[in-house]
Amino acid sequence: MKKVFIDGSAGTTGLRIYERLAERNDITLITLPEEKRKDVNSRKEAINSADIVFLCLPDDAARESVSMLSNENTVVLDTSTAHRTDADWTYGFPEIKKELADKLPASKKIAVPGCHASGVIALIYPLIEAGILDSDALLCATSVTGYSGGGKKMIAEYEAEGRDELLDAPRQYAVSQQHKHLKEIKAIAKLNNAPAFSPIVSSFYSGMCVTVPIFLSQLKNGATIDTIKEIYKKKYVGPVVNYKETNDEGGFLSANALSGLDSMEIAVFGNEERILLVARYDNLGKGASGAAIQCMNICMGVDQTTGLNI
């Protein structure tokens, strides 16, 4: 039975992982009393006595935890942005390329993808891989997310009595084009230019809808909208990420349609001039804790959907 420690179990992602793992009978959770939760020596002991460690911490704290690791057999899954573009870490998105799927089972250091980045990369990388979209392409992406993606502080703001009425409408953020996921998107999707990115938080708890618009003129080698559909259809065959021929609700796309689930749906809309690439999932599921547990399952050699809600 594997021993698992969650460093940062009080945060939104850490709590979700803890709740899911507490129900499993194939692992044992290592926990620290509240007074020792931030104690360096206690954390170091827990990290090195565990078979698997989840880091649910800010970037600098995650790096600190990694520096404490001396047990070469411990598998570390980092949910922060600290190691997502580090060549010594395996990017935890097995669906996007065979290289990652083959590498994950034996990896000791795994960077769990970011929520927004997961959708953008899932949509863009297959087109670059297939040679129908140039790495120099200038792209845009929009992502609508539930407020739980902002962590405890934002959750408290949205759920407070007498909250600011501005929270009742969708709010765009990271308008300076310096969002922390852009570096990851550029590196993993093999883009030479970061996309113009518009993340939007809205007044629902969880869920995410990522959209990347493409003009037919941007595609190479005579590719059409049907070419893109065929690429996705062959790549995303489940069990977690699936291509859907159509998944709208009467011409509408709700960002919280997959709230509470750990799956991701990929779809294509538009015509032979303007195309919309769309990924829908839960920012706390395939966008965070669900993806982390999926990676853990792969490392453990069990069904990758164990403990997931698909």
Side-chain angles (χ1 to χ4, degrees), residues 249-303:
E249 298 88 33
F252 292 87
L253 285 166
S254 175
N256 71 347
L258 272 67
S259 178
L261 300 180
D262 295 303
S263 52
M264 175 186 283
E265 293 182 355
I266 302 294
V268 183
F269 300 91
N271 50 50
E272 291 300 339
E273 293 182 2
R274 300 177 303 281
I275 303 165
L276 297 179
L277 315 177
V278 180
R280 290 201 295 181
Y281 49 105
D282 188 339
N283 58 290
L284 296 180
K286 183 58 173 171
S289 61
I293 291 173
Q294 179 189 5
C295 290
M296 181 194 79
N297 290 335
I298 292 171
C299 291
M300 290 176 61
V302 301
D303 188 304

Side-chain angles (χ1 to χ4, degrees), residues 6-23 29 34 37 54-57 79 151-152 155 205 284 288-289 293:
I6 305 168
D7 196 5
S9 60
T12 307
T13 300
L15 281 171
R16 278 291 284 265
I17 292 174
Y18 179 85
E19 290 167 357
R20 292 159 178 263
L21 297 186
E23 298 178 354
L29 282 170
E34 181 61 28
R37 188 169 57 84
F54 291 93
L55 304 181
C56 303
L57 302 161
T79 68
K152 282 188 171 182
I155 292 172
Y205 183 73
L284 296 180
S289 61
I293 291 173

Side-chain angles (χ1 to χ4, degrees), residues 165-294:
E165 63 180 16
L166 290 177
L167 301 185
D168 294 334
R171 296 188 298 159
Q172 188 166 325
Y173 65 102
V175 293
S176 66
Q177 290 300 300
Q178 298 296 319
H179 194 282
K180 63 182 180 179
H181 289 183
L182 286 174
K183 180 181 177 182
E184 173 186 356
I185 290 169
K186 183 180 174 183
I188 305 301
K190 304 299 183 184
L191 286 170
N192 293 331
N193 307 288
F197 182 47
S198 300
I200 298 167
V201 62
S202 194
S203 55
F204 59 94
Y205 183 73
S206 71
M208 183 166 278
C209 183
V210 174
T211 303
V212 176
I214 296 285
F215 286 93
L216 185 68
S217 59
Q218 291 177 281
L219 301 180
K220 300 163 57 181
N221 302 325
T224 66
I225 186 171
D226 289 330
T227 308
I228 297 175
K229 290 179 179 180
E230 285 302 313
I231 290 170
Y232 289 157
K233 192 180 297 184
K234 290 178 181 178
K235 179 174 284 289
Y236 298 129
V237 294
V240 178
V241 184
N242 290 277
Y243 169 75
K244 297 289 185 180
E245 188 63 36
T246 178
N247 70 342
D248 63 305
E249 298 88 33
F252 292 87
L253 285 166
S254 175
N256 71 347
L258 272 67
S259 178
L261 300 180
D262 295 303
S263 52
M264 175 186 283
E265 293 182 355
I266 302 294
V268 183
F269 300 91
N271 50 50
E272 291 300 339
E273 293 182 2
R274 300 177 303 281
I275 303 165
L276 297 179
L277 315 177
V278 180
R280 290 201 295 181
Y281 49 105
D282 188 339
N283 58 290
L284 296 180
K286 183 58 173 171
S289 61
I293 291 173
Q294 179 189 5

